[in-house]
Amino acid sequence: MAQKRAFITGIAGQDAGHLAQLLHEKGYEVFGTLRGQLEASHPRYQAIKNEMPYVNIVLADLLDISALTRAMQEIKPDEVYNLGAISHVGYSFRDPLLTADLTAKGVLNVLEAIRLAGLEKTTRFYQASTSEMYGGLDYNRPEKGYTESSAFHPRSPYGVAKLYGYWITKNYRESYDMFAVSGILFNHEGERRGPEFVTRKISQAVAAIKLGKQDKIELGNLDAKRDWGYAGDYVEGMWRMLQQDTPDDYVLATGEAHSIREFTELAFKEIGIDISWQGEAENEVGVDQDGVVRVAINPEFYRPAEVDFLLGDPTRAENELGWQRKVDFPGLVKLMVEHDLTAKQ
Ligand code: NAP
Ligand code: GDD
């Protein structure tokens, strides 16, 4: 049988790295997009090639439908994973227009590129949808967690843009009979996570504090809760969604929610520091056993509208995809801190 071809947008991202490795191990020929006027000698290009020599790099911006269409015509992928996006919720408030162009309309660009290349009946499409679409407000919080049929109420330009991506994917499935699905993924983290996201910011800071390179970390809202899993587990679920007989959308989550505060405490425990909390609101600090301030609040990291609580119910993915997360919450914190301790030495 011919080798299957997978096309991943945003190959430099966290999930793309895990997914490319998984697909390579499964025997796929892997293609991934990088944006910018890069040549093979460029450090960003080289970094991907050094880490994942098996990835065929395609230069294409998600805003550039001609580049995407050309890529589809030339590669004729069996599976397309649309992971490229502005993915940082806080940043999306600062640049909402670009977020809409990229995180919303970029999805349509990829779907149209598939159709323009005449591949809509053969190429399977995965859209990286998100738990941010639920919004976490009190009135629509199911006790056991959000499911595929929960109501959406996005709270950021990012969440709103992702909702467009979710619906246009469903619309192309219904209109053109495409195998086009959304994975509604709750937060997933790990050693590839960007340092602008809170878990990696904490694990890197804790490692730097242990090594004497930093005194403390500044954070925003400590009391938001997230359903945090390991990214390596979640890419397996993405792949499984594209192997089904019929296309459908699935939630991937752990079924447990923890606060930023809990993540911070556990991360410090990994280096032998017990954090205790003093003060309130913007004046709250986390101090170590010797009274040294290790955590301070910086309101710069607050968001204009916050998602206070996210909890997912992965029952359907477990039953229908046979998907199961392997790494639990303490395991995730440990894995990230240990990785950063080694990397920072
Ligand atoms: P990530 O690390 O931020 O990766 C996103 C990638 O998109 C980056 O490599 C980025 O490239 C690329 N990109 C940005 N602008 C682009 C453009 N104009 N053209 C082409 N590519 C562009 O995100 P991730 O955590 O791996 O997440 C992957 C996808 O899943 C995203 O769509 C995210 O919104 C979604 N998602 C993530 C989670 C999560 O918890 N991680 C949960 C639910 C959904 P540069 O490196 O050039 O900036
Ligand atoms: N980034 C960041 N930095 N967040 C902070 C900080 C800080 O210093 N301090 C507190 N937080 C809080 C945020 O206010 C938010 O409530 C929570 O930590 C998580 O923030 P992020 O790690 O930036 O992730 P996110 O939940 O907003 O978004 C991620 O998960 C979504 C799925 O639910 C991203 O990966 C999105 O792309 C993804 O869709």
Side-chain angles (χ1 to χ4, degrees), residues 2 6 61 65 69 75 125 135 160 180 218 240 247 252 255 292 323 333:
D61 196 296
I65 191 164
T69 306
I75 297 163
F125 176 80
V160 174
E218 290 186 345
R240 285 182 183 229
L252 299 184
V292 178
W323 178 80
V333 179

Side-chain angles (χ1 to χ4, degrees), residues 286-341:
V287 298
D288 66 16
Q289 297 94 315
D290 302 320
V292 178
V293 172
R294 295 302 184 184
V295 186
I297 303 299
N298 184 342
E300 187 192 310
F301 299 113
Y302 290 162
R303 291 169 184 177
E306 175 64 288
V307 172
D308 290 315
F309 181 83
L310 287 177
L311 172 69
D313 176 356
T315 304
R316 187 148 168 253
E318 288 173 357
N319 291 342
E320 294 182 18
L321 303 179
W323 178 80
Q324 201 89 48
R325 66 91 188 245
K326 298 191 184 89
V327 179
D328 64 7
F329 179 66
L332 175 68
V333 179
K334 190 178 176 58
L335 169 160
M336 291 180 74
V337 174
E338 279 181 355
H339 175 275
D340 288 334
L341 278 170

Side-chain angles (χ1 to χ4, degrees), residues 153-216:
H153 186 142
R155 300 263 294 157
S156 63
Y158 168 79
V160 174
K162 280 287 183 182
L163 202 52
Y164 176 86
Y166 168 85
W167 280 111
I168 200 67
T169 299
K170 213 186 240 305
N171 179 255
Y172 270 51
R173 178 161 89 220
E174 293 171 358
S175 306
Y176 306 116
D177 204 21
M178 277 181 74
F179 195 111
V181 306
S182 270
I184 306 174
L185 270 52
F186 284 68
N187 297 50
H188 43 279
E189 319 290 317
E191 71 281 12
R192 288 178 179 274
R193 189 53 142 160
E196 67 275 37
F197 299 94
V198 76
T199 56
R200 192 72 197 283
K201 182 174 166 181
I202 296 168
S203 66
Q204 287 193 336
V206 163
I209 288 168
K210 171 73 179 170
L211 299 170
K213 297 179 177 174
Q214 189 174 328
D215 296 329
K216 66 172 192 296

Side-chain angles (χ1 to χ4, degrees), residues 135-146 307-311:
L137 292 170
D138 281 346
Y139 81 92
N140 74 343
R141 259 188 216 175
E143 203 180 312
K144 283 179 63 194
Y146 293 101
V307 172
D308 290 315
F309 181 83
L310 287 177
L311 172 69

Side-chain angles (χ1 to χ4, degrees), residues 10-14 16-17 20 30-35 38 40 42-59 192:
I11 195 66
Q14 170 189 249
V30 182
F31 297 79
T33 69
L34 264 187
R35 60 177 167 148
L38 310 180
H42 194 282
R44 288 198 74 210
Y45 196 111
Q46 287 283 313
I48 302 290
K49 271 308 208 188
N50 286 343
E51 201 194 345
M52 300 181 280
Y54 47 81
V55 169
N56 300 286
I57 294 178
V58 179
L59 295 181
R192 288 178 179 274

